Amino acid sequence: KAGVTQTPRYLIKTRGQQVTLSCSPISGHRSVSWYQQTPGQGLQFLFEYFSETQRNKGNFPGRFSGRQFSNSRSEMNVSTLELGDSALYLCASSPGTANQPQHFGDGTRLSIL
Amino acid sequence: GQQVMQIPQYQHVQEGEDFTTYCNSSTTLSNIQWYKQRPGGHPVFLIQLVKSGEVKKQKRLTFQFGEAKKNSSLHITATQTTDVGTYFCAGRPGGGNKLTFGTGTQLKVEL
């Protein structure tokens, strides 16, 4: 089985721009979660999508949004980028039933100049 | 704020020494998962514990879930250089649906 695929791997943007990150889950997985990882804050949960619906949401501002398509692929969008948004954004998929392990992609490294 | 804390934040050991990381939650966890992230890599699932007081072993790794289901530990016997990485616990505090990751313990193993 192919693993979780995230694109792009690296991205450089400037303040005020917006960005869209993509995540293709493992085949058959219906849940996709997004995390932000920074050295200072660790792994912070952004949101989880299941069957095209946002099922859980973390404590991030409205500039962070996401969506999931019928094939379970997910996108995350960040608008009006700030310097503090520089981070590794990780996507994880799971079958979607309770207490299943998360399978992570390699992440997108976003740098804001 | 962060509801799942891990200590220590960093640990340097000599190869062959033992290592333990502790995970503590302010509220009860329905279960606890452990992940390992190698430098430059992504978190990889290691194990899940569900029952109060549960102990599971994977070769040199021993995982324990506390009786009150608020804490957990990962113990590595006789560390090797392949054990290098950051170890995260993760759980759903208060029985909620959000998977909250601990702050992580970064392990470095020196020859």
Side-chain angles (χ1 to χ4, degrees), chain A residues 37 56-57 99 102 105-106, chain B residues 31 35 37 42 48 98:
Chain A
Q37 187 172 34
N56 286 296
K57 189 177 186 303
N99 303 324
Q102 302 275 297
D106 289 332
Chain B
N31 59 66
Y35 293 79
Q37 185 174 20
H42 57 265
Q48 175 170 273
K98 297 179 194 177

Side-chain angles (χ1 to χ4, degrees), chain A residues 18 51 67 83 112:
Chain A
Q18 73 164 14
S51 292
R67 59 178 176 168
L83 291 178
I112 311 302

